[in-house]
Amino acid sequence: SDDENKRFQAAINFLKCVTLFSRLPKEDLPLVASCCEPEDFEAGQQIVSQGAGNKDFFLIRFGEATVTAVTTQPESRKKDKKKRARHGDTKGGEEVHLRILTDGDYFGERALLYDEPRTATVTATTALGVLRIKQASFRQLKLHEKVRFLSRKAILG
């Protein structure tokens, strides 16, 4: 349909501007665009939550999101609390603000590439538009072999 063509072309145009895909051959951009699913979130809505097993990758088209993580228990606390923290139970930990994400930023690369649970929570702070790429699509296109993610601290599961 005409709407699908417009969405597809908009995805290609957006991907051209994303640094992450700048090294991809131009002929691969339509493939990437074909597996992008546009999705919108309202301010305050959680996109991914720390500890979740969701493996999708997200590119921000517009808007702003906050990345937070709950730290594990300090060593001085009781042993049973430390054990829970190591197993992903972060109750009682402190929530730490890690960064703000805006247009062209991405998150979810660690979960996508390494099958790791989410290491942080990402929440829309304004109306937010993303392109979602599912792990199966990403791997099917062999993008994990072609895309070079920036090395950054493991905060964005």
Side-chain angles (χ1 to χ4, degrees):
S1 82
D2 209 28
D3 277 353
E4 284 174 3
N5 285 339
K6 283 180 185 171
R7 269 200 309 257
F8 182 70
Q9 196 54 54
I12 290 174
N13 292 337
F14 174 72
L15 293 171
K16 282 180 189 171
C17 303
V18 176
T19 337
L20 176 66
F21 296 112
S22 60
R23 290 188 180 174
L24 273 185
K26 283 187 179 153
E27 60 270 14
D28 282 354
L29 284 177
L31 288 174
V32 177
S34 71
C35 65
C36 287
E37 298 172 17
E39 198 170 338
D40 295 331
F41 295 91
E42 295 174 15
Q45 218 176 340
Q46 212 173 75
I47 298 113
V48 298
S49 61
Q50 184 175 0
N54 175 305
K55 303 287 190 277
D56 296 348
F57 173 73
F58 298 85
L59 287 158
I60 296 180
R61 292 181 293 134
F62 64 84
E64 190 175 274
T66 304
V67 182
T68 56
V70 177
T71 60
T72 54
Q73 299 292 323
E75 289 299 310
S76 60
R77 300 265 174 108
K78 292 179 183 176
K79 284 183 184 175
D80 65 328
K81 284 187 178 177
K82 284 197 310 192
K83 188 187 290 183
R84 284 201 318 257
R86 272 197 307 271
H87 289 92
D89 181 354
T90 51
K91 286 188 182 119
E94 183 186 348
E95 185 174 72
V96 180
H97 178 277
L98 298 171
R99 67 188 298 174
I100 300 276
L101 300 172
T102 57
D103 307 19
D105 285 336
Y106 57 86
F107 59 95
E109 70 275 13
R110 294 192 63 81
L112 184 76
L113 296 172
Y114 309 117
D115 286 327
E116 293 178 357
R118 301 286 182 183
T119 56
T121 296
V122 179
T123 307
T125 44
T126 66
L128 184 76
V130 300
L131 291 178
R132 177 193 296 254
I133 302 178
K134 295 192 180 304
Q135 184 187 54
S137 305
F138 198 87
R139 290 192 169 163
Q140 193 175 357
L141 295 175
K142 299 199 182 318
L143 289 174
H144 57 293
E145 297 169 6
K146 298 176 183 179
V147 173
R148 292 281 169 257
F149 291 102
L150 293 174
S151 173
R152 56 185 177 188
K153 289 183 182 170
I155 59 168
L156 299 179

